[in-house]
Amino acid sequence: DIQMTQSPSTLSASVGDRVTITCRASQSLSNWLAWYQQKPGKAPKLLIYKASILETGVPSRFSGSASGTEFTLTITSLQPDDFATYYCQHYKTYFPAFSFGPGTKVDIQ
Amino acid sequence: EVQLVESGGGLVLPGGSLRLSCAASGFTLNSYLMSWVRQTPGKGLEWVAHINQDGSEKYYVDSVKGRFTISRDNADNSLYLQMNSLTAEDTAVYYCARLAIWSFDNWGQGTLVTVSS
């Protein structure tokens, strides 16, 4: 089974910082990889799908990229509204199933 | 505006059953695959099941196979999750989510299921 890992698990940052979160898979994945933002008590919100496509309405400071088994979410200039937990999610095409990474919490330094 | 509203959660005894409902509005339900995703503090987010547009294909995570059944009523704009033989490990917030391009693009607010004696 494909295992998803995220690093770091927690990240302390300041407003204006460039932030990078990495999602790695135990084996090569398709580009069916999505990123979500979740705030306490709220449902996750889709930010990026198919590894690098920005969901409608999501600010352009968010971006995604892929390289082999490594996927990256970058926030170019962290804003107060961005302090949250971020999850990656993969879709496994050969057996219809989805898996989520364990999450990365971005908090205020 | 897309809206997904879950209901049916609550406290249930181990071995008991519960049926979750999700009322969809603001889009044409029969055009989309739909899913249930659950979240616990310990295990994070976990896909539970999804169903294709006409309900003919259903897929489940191994831990719920044979116990949970996903279904839909497109005429009533509703998605369901019948949960039987519940255990403490099923305790979670359950989200109804719309699938698009193999990602969950809209989510409900969630409904809490607690399995405890």
Side-chain angles (χ1 to χ4, degrees):
Chain A
D1 202 19
I2 296 176
Q3 303 300 317
M4 309 291 292
T5 60
Q6 282 184 239
S7 59
S9 56
T10 305
L11 188 160
S12 294
S14 301
V15 172
D17 283 354
R18 179 185 179 92
V19 166
T20 298
I21 299 168
T22 298
C23 179
R24 290 187 178 88
S26 56
Q27 56 186 274
S28 181
L29 298 178
S30 64
N31 273 5
W32 298 120
L33 192 287
W35 289 96
Y36 300 84
Q37 176 193 68
Q38 187 178 33
K39 297 181 179 178
K42 300 292 187 182
K45 173 189 173 184
L46 177 65
L47 299 175
I48 294 202
Y49 62 95
K50 208 175 178 186
S52 62
I53 302 175
L54 199 65
E55 173 72 344
T56 302
V58 174
S60 59
R61 63 181 179 272
F62 291 92
S63 64
S65 63
S67 177
T69 61
E70 184 171 299
F71 298 83
T72 300
L73 173 70
T74 299
I75 311 172
T76 53
S77 178
L78 199 67
Q79 297 302 300
D81 191 48
D82 301 339
F83 292 98
T85 300
Y86 294 84
Y87 295 92
C88 61
Q89 167 255 309
H90 172 249
Y91 173 67
K92 192 163 61 177
T93 54
Y94 56 90
F95 175 77
F98 302 83
S99 54
F100 289 88
T104 294
K105 184 178 181 181
V106 177
D107 61 21
I108 301 172
Q109 188 167 46
Chain B
E1 179 194 5
V2 172
Q3 278 203 315
L4 298 167
V5 179
E6 302 95 337
S7 60
L11 176 64
V12 61
L13 293 171
S17 298
L18 215 53
R19 189 194 196 208
L20 305 183
S21 299
C22 172
S25 61
F27 68 101
T28 304
L29 183 65
N30 63 17
S31 296
Y32 290 87
L33 286 81
M34 296 295 294
S35 181
W36 289 95
V37 177
R38 64 187 179 185
Q39 185 170 30
T40 63
K43 290 188 70 177
L45 289 163
E46 181 180 47
W47 162 77
V48 173
H50 75 271
I51 185 169
N52 72 342
Q53 287 88 338
D54 66 5
S56 61
E57 296 178 19
K58 305 173 185 183
Y59 301 93
Y60 302 90
V61 67
D62 284 349
S63 60
V64 309
K65 281 179 184 175
R67 301 188 300 122
F68 288 14
T69 302
I70 188 172
S71 63
R72 64 193 296 161
D73 183 340
N74 289 331
D76 200 32
N77 293 309
S78 294
L79 177 73
Y80 303 101
L81 185 69
Q82 176 66 43
M83 305 187 295
N84 299 329
S85 303
L86 286 160
T87 72
E89 284 65 46
D90 297 315
T91 294
V93 174
Y94 285 74
Y95 293 102
C96 163
R98 191 178 80 169
L99 271 165
I101 316 178
W102 303 121
S103 57
F104 304 97
D105 72 340
N106 282 274
W107 300 63
Q109 84 287 354
T111 186
L112 176 63
V113 172
T114 304
V115 184
S116 176
S117 55

